[in-house]
Amino acid sequence: MSGKGPGFFSDIGRSGRDILTKDYNSDQRFTISSSANSGLDLKSTLVKSRGLSSGDVTAEFKYKNKVVNFKVDTESNVLTTFTVSDVMPYAKTISSIRLPDYNSGKFEVQYLHDHVAFTLGVGLTRSPAIDFSGTMGTPSIAFGAETSYSTSLAKFTKYNAGLCFKMPSSSASVILGDKGDSMKVSYLHQLERLNGGAVVGEISRRFSTNENTLTVGCSLVVDSQTVLKAKLNNHGNLGALLQHELTSKSFLTISGAFETKDLDKNPKFGFSLLLKP
């Protein structure tokens, strides 16, 4: 959750979700990034996944309260994003479009105050989709919901709700998703004796299929440059990750996924290298 106010709906359960999902991958990824005093940031990424290679180049320019971002990939898609912070107190606007799809344009407003936060996004088409999310509360306890409405179908296509509690050394969240068909309950506890490590447990249930999944995970700060993470669920899926800071803001991440109930199945490995000279 954000240190100011309740945070956005997407922040509910984020700390535990990051331990269980963030940086785990089965791809090979190489990224090089550079920054200039003029406010221009450049980043190039190459990815190899399932034998296929792709890449993109991103340029971001910052000036006062404005940020312009251009991203071009190997499929000739051009994503342009224009962000203006403090367009009014506690609010910012984000405009984006992905060419050559002229129907991908979107305008979004984000508002974050001491006890309320919301986002409103509208597609820039004749029959736009309207996305809305809102939360109320404090940094310690917050309740929120999100929904999407399709004007072309004249119906709601998504609605979720969530609740989050945050204490000095632990946090818990409940998220009801998929139009009420799924529920996730997670609990995270900080391990101060392990230099900032944490353990997390998550139970997810899909009501339509009566399927339950229990996942436990942990992160361990080995030293100021190295972090270890691991996760295991009741279906026998085991994941492990090592992230090491090579130099300031340059990281090497290695991860693997294993099927403990089918040892004959080949494990999946991935790595990413982020270099920032």
Side-chain angles (χ1 to χ4, degrees), residues 67-78:
V67 179
V68 181
N69 184 290
F70 297 97
K71 182 177 180 179
V72 182
D73 63 27
T74 51
E75 307 242 330
S76 300
N77 296 308
V78 181

Side-chain angles (χ1 to χ4, degrees), residues 228-246:
L228 293 174
K229 294 202 302 183
K231 62 179 179 178
L232 175 67
N233 67 20
N234 62 310
H235 302 299
N237 304 123
L238 173 66
L241 179 148
L242 166 68
Q243 186 172 80
H244 182 71
E245 187 174 14
L246 303 172

Side-chain angles (χ1 to χ4, degrees), residues 116-161:
V116 65
F118 72 83
T119 64
L120 176 64
V122 181
L124 303 180
T125 63
R126 290 184 177 180
S127 301
I130 302 173
D131 301 321
F132 177 81
S133 71
T135 55
M136 296 180 63
T138 68
S140 299
I141 179 171
F143 169 80
E146 68 173 354
T147 186
S148 293
Y149 182 80
S150 172
T151 57
S152 61
L153 300 176
K155 69 176 183 178
F156 290 96
T157 57
K158 177 177 72 173
Y159 39 86
N160 305 319

